[in-house]
Amino acid sequence: MTNSIQSFLDAVKFDKDGLVPAIAQDAETGKILMLAYMNRESLEITLKERKMCYWSRSRKELWRKGATSGNTQDVKEVLIDCDGDALVFKITQKGGACHTGYESCFFRKVEDDGSFQIVDKLVFDAETAYRKNG
């Protein structure tokens, strides 16, 4: 591991569970695509490979984005917030970011009456993608 990657990893303030929130943002449009979590290992993999790798809190294992669906994320830029406890990855998304098939996980707008309006587009059939590859 290079000294610069080590220095960056040491600057990140992981929470009590060893995790840090990671926001994936489209590098070209600025659209927020998803929020997930990373541990030190997944962050190191991401920095070295320049492909997003997260920590799955539900499965308790590394989660390489796109391993099942083919919808990968290539890292273009990494930002760390002022406190060191949150990260933004400007990425190029192949396919949809959301496991439901939408381009972004933030595909529902909350209306004044509390109802939801779908404000994004479906870019793949999730049922087919996960049945075929999962």
Side-chain angles (χ1 to χ4, degrees), residues 77-127:
E77 188 176 350
V78 182
L79 303 168
I80 186 169
D81 80 333
C82 57
D83 298 320
D85 62 358
L87 304 172
V88 173
F89 291 85
K90 293 188 178 189
I91 57 101
T92 300
Q93 176 73 49
K94 176 186 174 194
C98 187
H99 72 280
T100 63
Y102 284 92
E103 182 177 42
S104 169
C105 293
F106 299 96
F107 62 88
R108 299 176 293 176
K109 176 182 171 188
V110 180
E111 299 293 341
D112 290 342
D113 65 0
S115 64
F116 297 119
Q117 177 186 355
I118 303 297
V119 294
D120 207 359
K121 60 185 175 217
L122 273 173
V123 292
F124 72 96
D125 178 25
E127 187 176 318

Side-chain angles (χ1 to χ4, degrees), residues 21-62:
I23 298 165
Q25 180 182 30
D26 187 292
E28 188 174 313
T29 67
K31 184 177 187 174
I32 300 298
L33 299 175
M34 59 180 281
L35 167 73
Y37 291 85
M38 301 176 101
N39 64 8
R40 190 177 180 97
E41 182 181 9
S42 66
L43 179 53
E44 185 176 341
I45 289 167
T46 297
L47 294 172
K48 285 181 176 178
E49 296 179 3
R50 307 302 287 182
K51 298 227 180 252
M52 292 304 295
C53 179
Y54 301 102
W55 177 256
S56 171
R57 295 179 300 164
S58 60
R59 295 187 313 265
K60 306 281 191 245
E61 65 185 18
L62 290 174

